[in-house]
Amino acid sequence: MATQTIGITFQYSHTIGRGEFSGPGFRNPVAMARGEDDTMYVVNRSYEYRPDGKRITVCTVDEDYVGEFARGVHTAGETEENENDGSLIWPTAVAIAPQGNVYVADEWLNRISMFDRDGEWLGKWGTKGSGEGELDGPSGMAFDADGNLLVVDSKNHRVQKFTSGGQFISAWGSEGSGEGELGLPWGICVDKDGNVFVADWRNDRVQKFTADGQFLQQFGNGELNRPTSVDTDKDGLVYVADWGNEQVRIYSPEGELLTSLVGDATISKWGKDKLDANSEMWQEREIAQGIEREKLFWGAVAVEVDDEDRLFVVESCRNRIQIYRKQQPMFFGGRL
């Protein structure tokens, strides 16, 4: 199915994922980042208290399963016993550094863990607090053009900037609903011009800032319901995971709502494999309903757009990612 606006078509491509604790699949995915060679790093938060559900799944856009890394644990006490193994309790976000290392935020541990692209743990930084460089519920991350890491410090209602090694650079934002103020912010992105967009969760809006945190613009007021993620494409369009409305909203660079996506999922390759493996035990229709119960988004918690105009929508409640392609209009003799 395709959704069209201003001559641009958003064409559904395919779906990745199925719920599973072991083997190919996701368990309550809440964020993703695309690395080199179409490799995807997906954060599995796991809504059940099972450590094996809290992990980073590595796969490709074509749904080839690569593996997983980062071990989940039940409690902070267990993590203290395993202080040097990159353990996770409530992972929230992932970002890929320019050199390819993978950064994972954990809102329970109030820290950022660093891994290489193969999942080897490199170190960590962060401690709970409200001072410079301290964190309280980190929930979104993005690298800027200089290789510095922007971290949404959600419960401190601010954004902090760090070097890739975790050294504090600056912070901006305070609690409130006025221009430039934040209320439990969640997602973040940096556009091609260095501007910063923040999904201002409790204030039901997206705000745009300069690279040093000066307020520029807000939009989505009266339309968004608990936005959780934001990203921009090379043409300046802004994509927002409108979590409360179960939609993805697409805005012009000026903040005008252009269109909304509601989901078009079909059964994934991993889901078909499950059907084949269980064909003698289950009716195909029953298995299919268990894997892909609805086409529509449920828990659309994160969006990411790549340089190839592919839009990735992470659904935490359906344990999957829907992928769309933006099709640019073609002009013939000056006419569309």
Side-chain angles (χ1 to χ4, degrees), residues 144-165:
D144 65 16
D146 296 322
N148 298 315
L149 182 64
L150 298 174
V151 179
V152 176
D153 190 7
S154 183
K155 294 179 182 178
N156 285 322
H157 314 283
R158 65 185 179 182
V159 174
Q160 295 200 72
K161 182 187 292 188
F162 299 87
T163 67
S164 59

Side-chain angles (χ1 to χ4, degrees), residues 112-186:
I112 311 298
S113 293
M114 299 172 287
F115 304 85
D116 68 17
R117 67 190 67 194
D118 297 318
E120 187 71 24
W121 185 72
L122 301 176
K124 61 178 177 60
W125 48 270
T127 185
K128 184 174 183 179
S130 58
E132 290 185 350
E134 296 177 333
L135 300 168
D136 192 358
S139 60
M141 299 186 296
F143 279 94
D144 65 16
D146 296 322
N148 298 315
L149 182 64
L150 298 174
V151 179
V152 176
D153 190 7
S154 183
K155 294 179 182 178
N156 285 322
H157 314 283
R158 65 185 179 182
V159 174
Q160 295 200 72
K161 182 187 292 188
F162 299 87
T163 67
S164 59
Q167 294 180 323
F168 173 79
I169 297 176
S170 63
W172 44 269
S174 60
E175 184 175 9
S177 58
E179 292 183 352
E181 297 176 331
L182 299 166
L184 295 176
W186 193 321

Side-chain angles (χ1 to χ4, degrees), residues 158-210:
R158 65 185 179 182
V159 174
Q160 295 200 72
K161 182 187 292 188
F162 299 87
T163 67
S164 59
Q167 294 180 323
F168 173 79
I169 297 176
S170 63
W172 44 269
S174 60
E175 184 175 9
S177 58
E179 292 183 352
E181 297 176 331
L182 299 166
L184 295 176
W186 193 321
I188 190 170
C189 74
V190 181
D191 71 9
K192 58 184 176 60
D193 297 318
N195 297 311
V196 180
F197 292 74
V198 179
D200 193 2
W201 187 83
R202 191 166 64 188
N203 289 322
D204 297 324
R205 65 186 177 184
V206 168
Q207 294 197 71
K208 180 181 179 181
F209 300 88
T210 64

